[in-house]
Amino acid sequence: AIFRNNLHIGAPGGGTFGNYARRSGWALWFPRTGDQCDMDYNGVGLHGMKFRANMSGREFDNFDSFRKGTTEKHGVLVDMSVFDGDIAFPNPPVPERKPVTLMLKAGSAAVDAGVVIPGINSNYTGKSPDLGAIELGDKAPHYGPRERGVDEATEWKSK
């Protein structure tokens, strides 16, 4: 698997769904990955906790050792401050909350920290693509039903 341009932000909690409680407080928990898993150009961090991650069964207690000991050579350390606005970490994960738009904050560590993925983010606007789902300055995508008469192809081309 190849992981690029993602934001991984862990925190305490996580509930008991799928036995996540024992993995609470990890930036990443990928203990069974091997050499076939290639992670790089991602934002990794924790909210309200000291950094720790598990990759390929190796535990890391700081971001520098994580970068040196994994394929994540170009990764950046992130937390909830990379998002524009006051975005709360969803802890506990249930009950559901009102959806938020995870727009990046200008000047944050996630801006221009990615790599080009052809056909996905080739139209980036800075010196390189941003991490996460929405390039800084782009509009948030629209999910769900649209008003009658809106031509989706025309709407998409105008973005």
Side-chain angles (χ1 to χ4, degrees):
I2 298 174
F3 293 89
R4 297 286 188 270
N5 300 353
N6 297 288
L7 291 168
H8 303 271
I9 304 174
T16 57
F17 308 100
N19 199 23
Y20 285 109
R22 72 178 190 148
R23 297 181 204 128
S24 173
W26 294 87
L28 283 174
W29 178 265
F30 292 151
R32 294 188 181 128
T33 58
D35 293 338
Q36 74 280 6
C37 184
D38 182 0
M39 294 185 68
D40 203 3
Y41 293 94
N42 296 292
V44 182
L46 278 149
H47 171 70
M49 296 185 69
K50 184 178 181 283
F51 184 90
R52 64 183 189 156
N54 186 312
M55 184 78 169
S56 302
R58 295 183 55 214
E59 293 185 9
F60 301 93
D61 63 2
N62 66 68
F63 187 71
D64 288 337
S65 67
F66 173 73
R67 279 186 57 175
K68 290 176 186 170
T70 68
T71 59
E72 190 66 66
K73 304 302 182 200
H74 300 94
V76 294
L77 183 63
V78 296
D79 59 22
M80 295 300 288
S81 70
V82 299
F83 299 114
D84 191 26
D86 188 18
I87 308 287
F89 192 91
N91 184 21
V94 175
E96 288 188 38
R97 291 160 179 79
K98 183 179 177 181
V100 296
T101 303
L102 299 175
M103 307 295 281
L104 295 177
K105 183 189 307 181
S108 74
V111 174
D112 293 338
V115 65
V116 174
I117 302 171
I120 303 293
N121 62 358
S122 301
N123 61 342
Y124 61 92
T125 56
K127 67 178 184 179
S128 62
D130 297 337
L131 302 182
I134 306 169
E135 182 78 11
L136 183 67
D138 282 357
K139 292 181 181 178
H142 177 88
Y143 300 105
R146 289 167 174 75
E147 292 181 35
R148 271 187 111 161
V150 174
D151 178 6
E152 290 183 24
T154 302
E155 184 180 65
W156 177 257
K157 288 177 187 174
S158 68
K159 293 181 181 178

